[in-house]
Structure formats: structure tokens, C-alpha cells
Amino acid sequence: MEIIRNSIRLRFRVDGKQKAYHLGLHDNDEGRKKAKLIGKQIEMDLLAGNFDATFEKYRINPATGKLKQETPKTVSELFADFIAWKAEYIYRRTVQKYKTLLNHLEMSGISTKIAKGLTVDDVSCFCSYSKQAIEPVTLKERLQLLSACWDWAKLENNHWKTAVKAIKVPPKQPPRPFTKQEIQAILGAFSELSPGYLPYVQFLFSTGVRTSEAIGLQWKHIADDCSTIWIGESLSKGVRKATKTNKARTIPLNPKVKQMLVELGRGDAEDLVFTTPAGYPIDDDNFARRYWRPALKKAGVDYRRPYNTRHTFISHALQSGLSPVQVASLTGHSVEILFTHYAGVIEKPELPELF
């Protein structure tokens, strides 16, 4: 938004070319409100591929003081509006997932349907197309997003809700936890191949934190004597945010982990505890491809992704005799989740003689 002689002008790019639109609005509170509305509409239309190069669509109707709306919104236009609204509240990587769904709508053949006229058959068509390209769990997540979009727009024909209930996600067998022998072999391989990452891997196996939580750990999160750590943030692809559950927890460390952190040498409060050998934040994908996979190959261990260190910790902690409540407090799970996913590991109680 620019001010030219007390008149508001919008400046933006279309296909790499700079555009400027003089709104004919004065620079006052009312004019700025209307300019923001027009700018948001242009942004959403660019996202959906419906930009009106004549600018006719973005002129204010003098009678209503609102933007002219010549035609009802299509499915793609509505979802693009939804993305623009959500973008103010969600992280960049999440916005990308929404944009992927927008592309998926276009490929499915229903993007040009009028949103408020969407039928059960249209939704069925989208589901039939999607089943050929994505897993049921992904389809269910996308249907939930579309249902949320229709709720946001307050449209009565929210057939997405019914579709969500109809999708049954088959259970998947969880990956096998690493055995104690496999863990030692992996640590030995890192000690030989990539010693700079050895403390990071030891920490993952020893604490069961999520990989993004370990990557984002700073020295200010660790007690002065290294006896406890505070887990309340994560770092992934350069984005720092709260933990997956938006809840913090404090983990008491055993002497072995404590000693490992002491030997690392405490840095400044804002410094990351674990970094690449060059001192940069660890990229989880790059680490898995360049360091984790070769280490497992050298150790003679079947590949399982680094996140399996968390599953491994939980399984061994339960087998060692820690109660589900204790393990949940360490990992940030709910007790219900532990019973759902680790029922086979949790020791079954014997029926007590109460009388």
C-alpha cells in the first residue's frame, strides 16, 4: 500500500511483472479499511488463478461501499479465501499443505464448481479421484480441511463432513523399536563415521524427545547443572514454534546424559545445543539422508527413520517397569495415547485379591 498525494495505491506483482492500482480512495481510516479489503481480494485471486487484469472486480460499489461481486465463488476461489484467512494464524509449512490441497482440487475436476451449489456427487467425485493418488489418512485430513472451510464460509451444503465420517483409515503396524544391541551398533557407527552427530543421536535415544524438539533445544532450556531440560519448543526447517501438543514438560536426566551435556560445553543461552559440525541448525531430512542412513547400513541395522528413536525410548521405558503415567510425563504423550499404541508393551496387571 502506498500513499500518493493523499490517494491510496496498491503495488504488487503478477507473473513477475509489477502492477499498480490506483484505488481512488483517500488516505483516511475508511479509505485504508477499503484498501485492505481490496488488497486481500487481489491476493486471494492471485492464489486461485482468478486475478481480474481489468480491475473491474476490485472496484468499490458506491451504493454498498463493498467490492463488486459479479459471480458466486467457485470451490477454488472459496478455498483460496480460506487459505488467505488461515495464513495469518498458521505456520508457513502448514500453509504449503493448504496450497497443495488447492492444486488437488483443480486436478480433481471440481474446482470450478460453485461452492454454495456443491453436491454430494461432486464430493464423491473428489473422493474417487483422491483415492487413486493419496492414502486414506491423507484423504481424511484433506476432507477435514474442506469441511472446516465450508464451516468458515457458513455454507449449508457441507457434504464434506459426511465424507470425513465415511473414510476409514486402516491401522498400520508401527515400526519395530531398535533393540539394545542395535542401539549400541548405531552409536558405534556414528562414533566412527560422523562423531559430530553422536551426542545428538545419544540424546534422542536417551530422552525420547521428538527430533524437532532436540534440534530446537537451546542452552537456556537446560538447568545449570544439566540435571533437567525444559521441552516447550521445536525447530524444523528454520521455523521455531511450540511443541506438537502446545504443552511444555521438564525431563530429569540420568547421569549418563547429564555427563554428555557437560562434555559438550555450555554455550550462550540462545545457542543451540545440537548443531551440524559447521555450527548450523540440523536439517532433519538432510541428517536422515547423509548421516543416519549410512550409519544404519554400517551397523547392519534395518532402516527405520530417526523419529523411531522416540518409539524405541517409550517401548524400552515401559519394558523397564516405568508406569504409563511416568512415561507420558517424560514424552509429552497423553496416557490414553500410550495405552492405544503401546498396549502390547505395557505390563498387564494381575487381578488382586481384594477381599
Short mmCIF file of all heavy atoms in Angstrom, two decimals, residues 179-243:
data_model
loop_
_atom_site.label_atom_id
_atom_site.label_comp_id
_atom_site.label_asym_id
_atom_site.label_seq_id
_atom_site.Cartn_x
_atom_site.Cartn_y
_atom_site.Cartn_z
N THR A 179 16.49 -52.58 19.09
CA THR A 179 16.89 -53.35 20.27
C THR A 179 18.10 -52.67 20.92
O THR A 179 18.75 -51.80 20.30
CB THR A 179 17.26 -54.78 19.88
OG1 THR A 179 18.45 -54.74 19.05
CG2 THR A 179 16.13 -55.46 19.12
N LYS A 180 18.44 -53.08 22.13
CA LYS A 180 19.60 -52.51 22.81
C LYS A 180 20.87 -52.79 22.03
O LYS A 180 21.78 -51.94 21.95
CB LYS A 180 19.70 -53.08 24.23
CG LYS A 180 18.58 -52.61 25.15
CD LYS A 180 18.74 -53.16 26.56
CE LYS A 180 17.61 -52.67 27.46
NZ LYS A 180 17.74 -53.19 28.86
N GLN A 181 20.95 -53.98 21.40
CA GLN A 181 22.12 -54.32 20.61
C GLN A 181 22.21 -53.43 19.37
O GLN A 181 23.30 -52.97 18.98
CB GLN A 181 22.07 -55.80 20.20
CG GLN A 181 22.22 -56.80 21.34
CD GLN A 181 20.97 -56.91 22.20
OE1 GLN A 181 19.86 -56.55 21.76
NE2 GLN A 181 21.15 -57.40 23.43
N GLU A 182 21.05 -53.16 18.74
CA GLU A 182 21.03 -52.30 17.56
C GLU A 182 21.42 -50.87 17.92
O GLU A 182 22.14 -50.20 17.16
CB GLU A 182 19.64 -52.33 16.92
CG GLU A 182 19.32 -53.62 16.19
CD GLU A 182 17.91 -53.66 15.65
OE1 GLU A 182 17.00 -53.06 16.28
OE2 GLU A 182 17.71 -54.29 14.59
N ILE A 183 20.96 -50.39 19.07
CA ILE A 183 21.30 -49.03 19.51
C ILE A 183 22.81 -48.90 19.68
O ILE A 183 23.42 -47.92 19.22
CB ILE A 183 20.58 -48.69 20.83
CG1 ILE A 183 19.07 -48.62 20.59
CG2 ILE A 183 21.08 -47.36 21.39
CD1 ILE A 183 18.25 -48.49 21.87
N GLN A 184 23.43 -49.88 20.33
CA GLN A 184 24.88 -49.83 20.53
C GLN A 184 25.62 -49.86 19.19
O GLN A 184 26.63 -49.17 19.00
CB GLN A 184 25.33 -50.99 21.41
CG GLN A 184 24.86 -50.89 22.86
CD GLN A 184 25.29 -49.58 23.52
OE1 GLN A 184 26.43 -49.12 23.36
NE2 GLN A 184 24.36 -48.97 24.25
N ALA A 185 25.11 -50.66 18.25
CA ALA A 185 25.74 -50.74 16.94
C ALA A 185 25.61 -49.41 16.19
O ALA A 185 26.56 -48.97 15.52
CB ALA A 185 25.10 -51.87 16.12
N ILE A 186 24.45 -48.74 16.32
CA ILE A 186 24.23 -47.45 15.66
C ILE A 186 25.15 -46.38 16.26
O ILE A 186 25.78 -45.60 15.54
CB ILE A 186 22.76 -47.03 15.78
CG1 ILE A 186 21.87 -47.97 14.97
CG2 ILE A 186 22.57 -45.58 15.31
CD1 ILE A 186 20.38 -47.78 15.23
N LEU A 187 25.24 -46.37 17.57
CA LEU A 187 26.12 -45.39 18.22
C LEU A 187 27.57 -45.63 17.83
O LEU A 187 28.34 -44.68 17.62
CB LEU A 187 25.95 -45.48 19.74
CG LEU A 187 24.58 -45.05 20.30
CD1 LEU A 187 24.52 -45.27 21.81
CD2 LEU A 187 24.27 -43.60 19.96
N GLY A 188 27.94 -46.90 17.72
CA GLY A 188 29.30 -47.21 17.30
C GLY A 188 29.58 -46.74 15.88
O GLY A 188 30.67 -46.23 15.58
N ALA A 189 28.58 -46.89 15.00
CA ALA A 189 28.75 -46.44 13.62
C ALA A 189 28.88 -44.93 13.54
O ALA A 189 29.70 -44.40 12.78
CB ALA A 189 27.55 -46.91 12.79
N PHE A 190 28.09 -44.19 14.35
CA PHE A 190 28.21 -42.74 14.36
C PHE A 190 29.55 -42.30 14.93
O PHE A 190 30.16 -41.34 14.45
CB PHE A 190 27.07 -42.11 15.17
CG PHE A 190 25.88 -41.75 14.34
CD1 PHE A 190 24.79 -42.59 14.25
CD2 PHE A 190 25.85 -40.56 13.62
CE1 PHE A 190 23.69 -42.26 13.46
CE2 PHE A 190 24.77 -40.21 12.84
CZ PHE A 190 23.68 -41.07 12.75
N SER A 191 30.03 -43.01 15.93
CA SER A 191 31.32 -42.68 16.52
C SER A 191 32.43 -42.77 15.48
O SER A 191 33.39 -41.99 15.50
CB SER A 191 31.62 -43.63 17.68
OG SER A 191 32.87 -43.32 18.27
N GLU A 192 32.26 -43.70 14.54
CA GLU A 192 33.28 -43.89 13.51
C GLU A 192 33.07 -43.01 12.30
O GLU A 192 34.02 -42.41 11.76
CB GLU A 192 33.28 -45.36 13.08
CG GLU A 192 34.36 -45.70 12.07
CD GLU A 192 34.39 -47.18 11.73
OE1 GLU A 192 33.88 -47.99 12.53
OE2 GLU A 192 34.94 -47.53 10.67
N LEU A 193 31.81 -42.91 11.83
CA LEU A 193 31.52 -42.20 10.59
C LEU A 193 31.27 -40.70 10.78
O LEU A 193 31.75 -39.89 9.99
CB LEU A 193 30.30 -42.82 9.89
CG LEU A 193 30.40 -44.27 9.43
CD1 LEU A 193 29.08 -44.71 8.82
CD2 LEU A 193 31.53 -44.44 8.43
N SER A 194 30.48 -40.36 11.79
CA SER A 194 30.05 -38.96 11.98
C SER A 194 30.05 -38.61 13.46
O SER A 194 28.98 -38.39 14.06
CB SER A 194 28.65 -38.75 11.38
OG SER A 194 28.58 -39.22 10.06
N PRO A 195 31.22 -38.53 14.08
CA PRO A 195 31.27 -38.29 15.53
C PRO A 195 30.63 -36.97 15.96
O PRO A 195 30.19 -36.83 17.10
CB PRO A 195 32.78 -38.30 15.83
CG PRO A 195 33.44 -38.04 14.51
CD PRO A 195 32.55 -38.66 13.48
N GLY A 196 30.56 -36.01 15.03
CA GLY A 196 29.95 -34.73 15.39
C GLY A 196 28.47 -34.83 15.70
O GLY A 196 27.91 -33.98 16.41
N TYR A 197 27.83 -35.87 15.19
CA TYR A 197 26.40 -36.07 15.45
C TYR A 197 26.13 -37.08 16.56
O TYR A 197 24.97 -37.33 16.89
CB TYR A 197 25.70 -36.54 14.17
CG TYR A 197 25.52 -35.46 13.13
CD1 TYR A 197 26.35 -35.42 12.01
CD2 TYR A 197 24.56 -34.47 13.28
CE1 TYR A 197 26.19 -34.42 11.04
CE2 TYR A 197 24.39 -33.48 12.33
CZ TYR A 197 25.21 -33.45 11.22
OH TYR A 197 25.05 -32.46 10.28
N LEU A 198 27.18 -37.67 17.11
CA LEU A 198 26.99 -38.71 18.12
C LEU A 198 26.22 -38.21 19.35
O LEU A 198 25.29 -38.88 19.80
CB LEU A 198 28.35 -39.29 18.54
CG LEU A 198 28.31 -40.39 19.60
CD1 LEU A 198 27.50 -41.59 19.13
CD2 LEU A 198 29.75 -40.83 19.97
N PRO A 199 26.54 -37.02 19.91
CA PRO A 199 25.77 -36.55 21.08
C PRO A 199 24.29 -36.37 20.77
O PRO A 199 23.44 -36.68 21.60
CB PRO A 199 26.43 -35.21 21.42
CG PRO A 199 27.82 -35.33 20.88
CD PRO A 199 27.68 -36.13 19.62
N TYR A 200 23.98 -35.88 19.58
CA TYR A 200 22.59 -35.69 19.16
C TYR A 200 21.85 -37.03 19.13
O TYR A 200 20.72 -37.14 19.65
CB TYR A 200 22.58 -35.03 17.79
CG TYR A 200 21.23 -34.97 17.10
CD1 TYR A 200 20.18 -34.22 17.62
CD2 TYR A 200 21.02 -35.65 15.90
CE1 TYR A 200 18.95 -34.15 16.97
CE2 TYR A 200 19.80 -35.60 15.24
CZ TYR A 200 18.77 -34.85 15.78
OH TYR A 200 17.55 -34.80 15.13
N VAL A 201 22.46 -38.05 18.56
CA VAL A 201 21.83 -39.37 18.46
C VAL A 201 21.70 -39.99 19.85
O VAL A 201 20.66 -40.58 20.18
CB VAL A 201 22.64 -40.28 17.53
CG1 VAL A 201 22.03 -41.68 17.48
CG2 VAL A 201 22.69 -39.68 16.12
N GLN A 202 22.73 -39.85 20.67
CA GLN A 202 22.65 -40.36 22.05
C GLN A 202 21.49 -39.71 22.80
O GLN A 202 20.75 -40.38 23.53
CB GLN A 202 23.96 -40.07 22.79
CG GLN A 202 25.13 -40.93 22.36
CD GLN A 202 26.42 -40.53 23.08
OE1 GLN A 202 26.68 -39.34 23.27
NE2 GLN A 202 27.21 -41.52 23.48
N PHE A 203 21.33 -38.42 22.58
CA PHE A 203 20.27 -37.68 23.27
C PHE A 203 18.89 -38.16 22.83
O PHE A 203 17.99 -38.33 23.66
CB PHE A 203 20.44 -36.19 22.97
CG PHE A 203 19.49 -35.30 23.74
CD1 PHE A 203 19.75 -34.96 25.05
CD2 PHE A 203 18.35 -34.80 23.14
CE1 PHE A 203 18.89 -34.13 25.76
CE2 PHE A 203 17.47 -33.98 23.84
CZ PHE A 203 17.75 -33.65 25.15
N LEU A 204 18.71 -38.40 21.52
CA LEU A 204 17.44 -38.89 21.02
C LEU A 204 17.08 -40.24 21.65
O LEU A 204 15.95 -40.44 22.11
CB LEU A 204 17.48 -39.03 19.50
CG LEU A 204 17.55 -37.73 18.67
CD1 LEU A 204 17.69 -38.06 17.19
CD2 LEU A 204 16.31 -36.87 18.91
N PHE A 205 18.02 -41.17 21.65
CA PHE A 205 17.76 -42.49 22.21
C PHE A 205 17.52 -42.43 23.72
O PHE A 205 16.72 -43.20 24.27
CB PHE A 205 18.94 -43.42 21.93
CG PHE A 205 18.90 -44.09 20.59
CD1 PHE A 205 19.92 -43.94 19.68
CD2 PHE A 205 17.82 -44.90 20.24
CE1 PHE A 205 19.89 -44.56 18.44
CE2 PHE A 205 17.77 -45.53 19.00
CZ PHE A 205 18.80 -45.37 18.10
N SER A 206 18.17 -41.50 24.40
CA SER A 206 18.15 -41.48 25.87
C SER A 206 16.98 -40.72 26.46
O SER A 206 16.66 -40.89 27.64
CB SER A 206 19.45 -40.87 26.40
OG SER A 206 20.57 -41.62 25.97
N THR A 207 16.35 -39.84 25.67
CA THR A 207 15.28 -39.00 26.22
C THR A 207 13.93 -39.22 25.57
O THR A 207 12.90 -38.88 26.16
CB THR A 207 15.64 -37.51 26.07
OG1 THR A 207 15.76 -37.20 24.67
CG2 THR A 207 16.95 -37.19 26.79
N GLY A 208 13.90 -39.73 24.34
CA GLY A 208 12.63 -39.95 23.65
C GLY A 208 11.97 -38.67 23.17
O GLY A 208 10.78 -38.69 22.83
N VAL A 209 12.70 -37.55 23.12
CA VAL A 209 12.09 -36.31 22.64
C VAL A 209 11.89 -36.41 21.13
O VAL A 209 12.52 -37.23 20.44
CB VAL A 209 12.97 -35.08 22.97
CG1 VAL A 209 13.17 -34.93 24.46
CG2 VAL A 209 14.31 -35.17 22.25
N ARG A 210 11.00 -35.62 20.60
CA ARG A 210 10.81 -35.55 19.16
C ARG A 210 12.07 -34.95 18.53
O ARG A 210 12.75 -34.12 19.14
CB ARG A 210 9.59 -34.69 18.82
CG ARG A 210 8.28 -35.23 19.38
CD ARG A 210 7.12 -34.29 19.10
NE ARG A 210 5.86 -34.81 19.62
CZ ARG A 210 5.38 -34.58 20.85
NH1 ARG A 210 6.07 -33.78 21.67
NH2 ARG A 210 4.24 -35.11 21.24
N THR A 211 12.37 -35.35 17.29
CA THR A 211 13.59 -34.86 16.65
C THR A 211 13.58 -33.33 16.55
O THR A 211 14.61 -32.69 16.76
CB THR A 211 13.74 -35.48 15.24
OG1 THR A 211 12.51 -35.33 14.52
CG2 THR A 211 14.08 -36.96 15.34
N SER A 212 12.43 -32.75 16.25
CA SER A 212 12.36 -31.28 16.14
C SER A 212 12.58 -30.61 17.49
O SER A 212 13.07 -29.48 17.56
CB SER A 212 11.02 -30.86 15.55
OG SER A 212 9.94 -31.31 16.36
N GLU A 213 12.22 -31.30 18.57
CA GLU A 213 12.44 -30.75 19.92
C GLU A 213 13.93 -30.76 20.26
O GLU A 213 14.44 -29.81 20.86
CB GLU A 213 11.65 -31.56 20.95
CG GLU A 213 10.14 -31.40 20.81
CD GLU A 213 9.35 -32.35 21.70
OE1 GLU A 213 9.94 -33.33 22.21
OE2 GLU A 213 8.13 -32.14 21.86
N ALA A 214 14.62 -31.83 19.87
CA ALA A 214 16.06 -31.91 20.11
C ALA A 214 16.80 -30.88 19.26
O ALA A 214 17.73 -30.21 19.72
CB ALA A 214 16.58 -33.31 19.81
N ILE A 215 16.38 -30.73 18.00
CA ILE A 215 17.02 -29.78 17.10
C ILE A 215 16.86 -28.35 17.61
O ILE A 215 17.76 -27.53 17.49
CB ILE A 215 16.42 -29.91 15.68
CG1 ILE A 215 16.84 -31.24 15.05
CG2 ILE A 215 16.84 -28.74 14.79
CD1 ILE A 215 16.15 -31.56 13.74
N GLY A 216 15.72 -28.06 18.23
CA GLY A 216 15.45 -26.70 18.71
C GLY A 216 15.93 -26.42 20.12
O GLY A 216 15.79 -25.29 20.60
N LEU A 217 16.50 -27.41 20.79
CA LEU A 217 16.91 -27.23 22.19
C LEU A 217 18.03 -26.20 22.30
O LEU A 217 19.04 -26.26 21.59
CB LEU A 217 17.39 -28.58 22.75
CG LEU A 217 17.62 -28.63 24.26
CD1 LEU A 217 16.30 -28.49 25.03
CD2 LEU A 217 18.31 -29.95 24.65
N GLN A 218 17.85 -25.25 23.20
CA GLN A 218 18.85 -24.21 23.46
C GLN A 218 19.41 -24.38 24.87
O GLN A 218 18.77 -24.98 25.74
CB GLN A 218 18.23 -22.82 23.29
CG GLN A 218 17.75 -22.54 21.87
CD GLN A 218 16.94 -21.25 21.78
OE1 GLN A 218 15.83 -21.17 22.32
NE2 GLN A 218 17.49 -20.25 21.12
N TRP A 219 20.58 -23.79 25.09
CA TRP A 219 21.21 -23.96 26.40
C TRP A 219 20.39 -23.32 27.52
O TRP A 219 20.46 -23.75 28.67
CB TRP A 219 22.63 -23.39 26.38
CG TRP A 219 23.58 -24.30 25.68
CD1 TRP A 219 24.14 -24.14 24.45
CD2 TRP A 219 24.07 -25.56 26.19
NE1 TRP A 219 24.95 -25.21 24.15
CE2 TRP A 219 24.92 -26.09 25.19
CE3 TRP A 219 23.87 -26.28 27.36
CZ2 TRP A 219 25.58 -27.32 25.35
CZ3 TRP A 219 24.51 -27.50 27.51
CH2 TRP A 219 25.36 -28.01 26.52
N LYS A 220 19.58 -22.33 27.20
CA LYS A 220 18.75 -21.72 28.23
C LYS A 220 17.66 -22.68 28.71
O LYS A 220 17.03 -22.46 29.73
CB LYS A 220 18.11 -20.43 27.72
CG LYS A 220 17.09 -20.63 26.59
CD LYS A 220 16.52 -19.31 26.12
CE LYS A 220 15.50 -19.49 25.00
NZ LYS A 220 14.96 -18.18 24.54
N HIS A 221 17.43 -23.76 27.95
CA HIS A 221 16.42 -24.76 28.32
C HIS A 221 16.99 -25.84 29.24
O HIS A 221 16.24 -26.71 29.70
CB HIS A 221 15.85 -25.43 27.06
CG HIS A 221 15.19 -24.48 26.12
ND1 HIS A 221 15.22 -24.64 24.74
CD2 HIS A 221 14.49 -23.34 26.34
CE1 HIS A 221 14.56 -23.65 24.17
NE2 HIS A 221 14.11 -22.85 25.11
N ILE A 222 18.28 -25.77 29.51
CA ILE A 222 18.95 -26.81 30.31
C ILE A 222 19.37 -26.21 31.64
O ILE A 222 19.96 -25.12 31.69
CB ILE A 222 20.17 -27.37 29.56
CG1 ILE A 222 19.71 -27.99 28.23
CG2 ILE A 222 20.89 -28.41 30.39
CD1 ILE A 222 20.84 -28.55 27.39
N ALA A 223 19.10 -26.93 32.72
CA ALA A 223 19.47 -26.46 34.06
C ALA A 223 20.99 -26.25 34.13
O ALA A 223 21.76 -26.89 33.41
CB ALA A 223 19.04 -27.47 35.12
N ASP A 224 21.41 -25.35 35.01
CA ASP A 224 22.83 -25.02 35.13
C ASP A 224 23.69 -26.25 35.39
O ASP A 224 24.82 -26.35 34.91
CB ASP A 224 23.05 -23.99 36.24
CG ASP A 224 22.47 -22.63 35.87
OD1 ASP A 224 22.27 -22.39 34.66
OD2 ASP A 224 22.23 -21.82 36.78
N ASP A 225 23.14 -27.20 36.17
CA ASP A 225 23.91 -28.41 36.47
C ASP A 225 23.59 -29.55 35.51
O ASP A 225 24.00 -30.69 35.73
CB ASP A 225 23.67 -28.85 37.92
CG ASP A 225 22.20 -29.19 38.18
OD1 ASP A 225 21.37 -29.00 37.26
OD2 ASP A 225 21.89 -29.64 39.30
N CYS A 226 22.84 -29.24 34.46
CA CYS A 226 22.46 -30.23 33.43
C CYS A 226 21.65 -31.39 33.99
O CYS A 226 21.65 -32.49 33.42
CB CYS A 226 23.71 -30.77 32.71
SG CYS A 226 24.58 -29.53 31.72
N SER A 227 20.93 -31.15 35.08
CA SER A 227 20.16 -32.23 35.69
C SER A 227 18.76 -32.36 35.08
O SER A 227 18.15 -33.43 35.14
CB SER A 227 20.03 -32.01 37.20
OG SER A 227 19.37 -30.77 37.46
N THR A 228 18.27 -31.28 34.47
CA THR A 228 16.94 -31.31 33.85
C THR A 228 16.96 -30.49 32.56
O THR A 228 17.81 -29.60 32.39
CB THR A 228 15.85 -30.73 34.78
OG1 THR A 228 16.15 -29.35 35.05
CG2 THR A 228 15.75 -31.51 36.08
N ILE A 229 16.01 -30.78 31.70
CA ILE A 229 15.82 -29.97 30.49
C ILE A 229 14.35 -29.59 30.40
O ILE A 229 13.47 -30.33 30.84
CB ILE A 229 16.24 -30.70 29.21
CG1 ILE A 229 15.48 -32.03 29.06
CG2 ILE A 229 17.73 -30.93 29.17
CD1 ILE A 229 15.71 -32.72 27.74
N TRP A 230 14.12 -28.41 29.84
CA TRP A 230 12.74 -27.94 29.62
C TRP A 230 12.43 -28.09 28.13
O TRP A 230 13.17 -27.60 27.27
CB TRP A 230 12.62 -26.48 30.02
CG TRP A 230 11.26 -25.89 29.80
CD1 TRP A 230 10.18 -25.97 30.63
CD2 TRP A 230 10.82 -25.10 28.67
NE1 TRP A 230 9.10 -25.29 30.10
CE2 TRP A 230 9.47 -24.75 28.90
CE3 TRP A 230 11.45 -24.66 27.50
CZ2 TRP A 230 8.74 -23.98 28.00
CZ3 TRP A 230 10.72 -23.91 26.59
CH2 TRP A 230 9.38 -23.57 26.85
N ILE A 231 11.36 -28.81 27.81
CA ILE A 231 10.94 -29.00 26.42
C ILE A 231 9.63 -28.26 26.21
O ILE A 231 8.59 -28.64 26.73
CB ILE A 231 10.75 -30.50 26.09
CG1 ILE A 231 12.05 -31.27 26.30
CG2 ILE A 231 10.24 -30.66 24.67
CD1 ILE A 231 13.15 -30.90 25.33
N GLY A 232 9.69 -27.17 25.47
CA GLY A 232 8.49 -26.40 25.21
C GLY A 232 8.47 -25.82 23.81
O GLY A 232 7.50 -25.18 23.41
N GLU A 233 9.56 -26.07 23.04
CA GLU A 233 9.66 -25.53 21.69
C GLU A 233 10.25 -26.57 20.75
O GLU A 233 10.85 -27.55 21.18
CB GLU A 233 10.55 -24.27 21.67
CG GLU A 233 10.02 -23.13 22.50
CD GLU A 233 10.98 -21.94 22.53
OE1 GLU A 233 12.15 -22.10 22.13
OE2 GLU A 233 10.55 -20.86 22.96
N SER A 234 10.07 -26.33 19.47
CA SER A 234 10.66 -27.20 18.46
C SER A 234 11.19 -26.33 17.33
O SER A 234 10.82 -25.16 17.20
CB SER A 234 9.63 -28.20 17.93
OG SER A 234 8.60 -27.53 17.24
N LEU A 235 12.07 -26.91 16.52
CA LEU A 235 12.64 -26.19 15.39
C LEU A 235 12.70 -27.12 14.20
O LEU A 235 13.29 -28.20 14.27
CB LEU A 235 14.05 -25.68 15.72
CG LEU A 235 14.77 -24.90 14.63
CD1 LEU A 235 14.06 -23.58 14.34
CD2 LEU A 235 16.22 -24.61 15.05
N SER A 236 12.05 -26.74 13.09
CA SER A 236 12.04 -27.56 11.90
C SER A 236 12.04 -26.66 10.67
O SER A 236 11.20 -25.77 10.56
CB SER A 236 10.81 -28.49 11.88
OG SER A 236 10.79 -29.30 10.73
N LYS A 237 12.98 -26.90 9.77
CA LYS A 237 13.07 -26.11 8.53
C LYS A 237 13.16 -24.62 8.82
O LYS A 237 12.60 -23.79 8.10
CB LYS A 237 11.88 -26.40 7.61
CG LYS A 237 11.67 -27.86 7.29
CD LYS A 237 12.86 -28.48 6.61
CE LYS A 237 12.62 -29.95 6.29
NZ LYS A 237 13.83 -30.61 5.75
N GLY A 238 13.85 -24.27 9.89
CA GLY A 238 14.05 -22.88 10.23
C GLY A 238 12.89 -22.22 10.95
O GLY A 238 12.96 -21.03 11.28
N VAL A 239 11.83 -22.96 11.23
CA VAL A 239 10.65 -22.41 11.91
C VAL A 239 10.63 -22.88 13.36
O VAL A 239 10.57 -24.08 13.63
CB VAL A 239 9.35 -22.83 11.21
CG1 VAL A 239 8.15 -22.27 11.96
CG2 VAL A 239 9.34 -22.35 9.76
N ARG A 240 10.69 -21.94 14.29
CA ARG A 240 10.61 -22.27 15.71
C ARG A 240 9.18 -22.06 16.18
O ARG A 240 8.58 -21.02 15.92
CB ARG A 240 11.55 -21.38 16.53
CG ARG A 240 11.50 -21.66 18.05
CD ARG A 240 12.59 -20.89 18.78
NE ARG A 240 13.91 -21.45 18.49
CZ ARG A 240 14.43 -22.50 19.10
NH1 ARG A 240 13.74 -23.13 20.06
NH2 ARG A 240 15.63 -22.94 18.78
N LYS A 241 8.64 -23.05 16.85
CA LYS A 241 7.28 -22.97 17.33
C LYS A 241 7.13 -23.82 18.58
O LYS A 241 8.09 -24.45 19.05
CB LYS A 241 6.29 -23.42 16.26
CG LYS A 241 6.52 -24.82 15.74
CD LYS A 241 5.54 -25.15 14.62
CE LYS A 241 5.75 -26.54 14.06
NZ LYS A 241 4.82 -26.87 12.96
N ALA A 242 5.92 -23.85 19.13
CA ALA A 242 5.66 -24.65 20.33
C ALA A 242 5.71 -26.13 19.98
O ALA A 242 5.76 -26.52 18.81
CB ALA A 242 4.29 -24.28 20.91
N THR A 243 5.72 -26.96 21.01
CA THR A 243 5.71 -28.40 20.79
C THR A 243 4.43 -28.82 20.08
O THR A 243 3.47 -28.06 19.97
CB THR A 243 5.80 -29.17 22.12
OG1 THR A 243 4.66 -28.84 22.92
CG2 THR A 243 7.05 -28.79 22.88
#
